Amino acid sequence: MRALILCLALLLLQGCIATKNLQRENIQLSEQAIAQCQQLQPQLDKLVATQSKTNQLIKRESDKRQALLVQVQSDQSCSDLRQSLNNKTVVGDVEWAWIDFGSHQSAVKVRMDTGASTSSISAKNVTEFERNGKRWVRFTLEDGREVSMLVERYANIRQAATEKDRRWVVKLGIRLGTISQVAEFTLKDRSHLNYEVLVGRNLLRDLMVVDVARRYILGKQPAKQAEAVK
């Protein structure tokens, strides 16, 4: 019995010794691992700093490329704009113009309207008649003068979603600054509006650019310059 107890005690003692040795080894391993981590920490810090600098350089280069791309696109847009403005006259939202009615010329204020396909002039008491087998119209201007013009065609102008206004179209000479043109004008009573003449895209196209923030850029030309209108 004593021998058995001694054996058990011996085994227990050996187990305790083994456990302590194992704990001691674990502590040593932990201390070694901590020491290695402490040794590697500066290298890790350097790697993190290097990666951060690399990311910053990549972002900086990306920003430069994006800025360069935007600049190229902007330069192209400016080039296209300059090209489109070449040989074009900048006009204001409202300008003075000379209108040649054949029998006389009048200086009037005209309003630019890029939304209108055809220019228009105020005409009252419009009467159609025939002359030498062709259709003509007689109408009264805002200044009370009566003129007769050859009818070039008729235009259907949409007034509302389902309504169309059939108008006479005549050709008139017009001078805006140094620009002299003969263009089509529809006849419409505009006496209730601010301007008796509306300049549409048929005159503006390829000739003028409208600066809607300004007026009377071209000034009022002397009457003698109206003779250039053909």
Side-chain angles (χ1 to χ4, degrees), residues 18-210:
T19 300
K20 288 183 178 180
N21 291 335
L22 182 60
Q23 290 177 346
R24 190 179 298 111
E25 290 177 358
N26 288 337
I27 292 173
Q28 290 177 350
L29 289 174
S30 298
E31 290 176 348
Q32 291 176 359
I34 292 172
Q36 290 178 353
C37 288
Q38 290 176 344
Q39 291 176 355
L40 292 174
Q41 188 62 44
Q43 298 179 8
L44 290 174
D45 292 341
K46 288 182 180 180
L47 288 174
V48 171
T50 301
Q51 184 63 42
S52 178
K53 290 181 179 179
T54 302
N55 291 339
Q56 291 177 359
L57 289 174
I58 293 174
K59 185 178 184 304
R60 191 177 299 119
E61 289 300 320
S62 176
D63 292 343
K64 286 182 180 179
R65 291 184 180 182
Q66 184 64 28
L68 181 60
L69 178 61
V70 171
Q71 182 64 39
V72 169
Q73 293 174 342
S74 176
D75 291 344
Q76 183 63 41
S77 298
C78 290
S79 176
D80 294 342
L81 179 60
R82 285 192 294 269
Q83 183 66 27
S84 67
L85 290 176
N86 282 343
N87 301 321
K88 290 187 179 181
T89 300
V90 178
V91 297
D93 181 56
V94 178
E95 293 287 352
W96 280 100
W98 281 95
I99 307 296
D100 187 352
F101 297 98
S103 59
H104 71 281
Q105 298 167 354
S106 295
V108 297
K109 293 178 181 179
V110 300
R111 180 178 177 272
M112 311 300 166
D113 187 356
T114 57
S117 60
T118 307
S119 302
S120 179
I121 189 168
S122 184
K124 294 182 289 186
N125 306 320
V126 181
T127 303
E128 183 174 326
F129 64 96
E130 186 175 316
R131 177 184 293 176
N132 299 327
K134 295 183 178 181
R135 291 168 298 181
W136 284 62
V137 283
R138 183 182 298 108
F139 55 94
T140 305
L141 301 172
E142 287 296 316
D143 61 6
R145 299 188 191 186
E146 186 178 89
V147 295
S148 297
M149 306 292 299
L150 176 68
V151 176
E152 298 293 332
R153 62 183 179 90
Y154 298 95
N156 291 319
I157 308 299
R158 186 177 296 278
Q159 294 293 95
T162 58
E163 296 181 3
K164 289 185 178 180
D165 184 15
R166 189 168 184 264
R167 301 179 187 177
W168 294 274
V169 179
V170 299
K171 281 187 176 180
L172 298 172
I174 181 171
R175 180 179 179 84
L176 281 157
T178 59
I179 298 175
S180 296
Q181 291 288 312
V182 174
E184 290 187 340
F185 287 79
T186 62
L187 302 181
K188 173 69 175 179
D189 186 356
R190 298 176 54 85
S191 57
H192 60 291
L193 300 173
N194 293 330
Y195 303 99
E196 59 183 288
V197 176
L198 194 73
V199 173
R201 294 194 303 273
N202 64 320
L203 264 170
L204 296 171
R205 187 185 300 113
D206 301 327
L207 293 175
M208 291 170 270
V209 177
V210 182

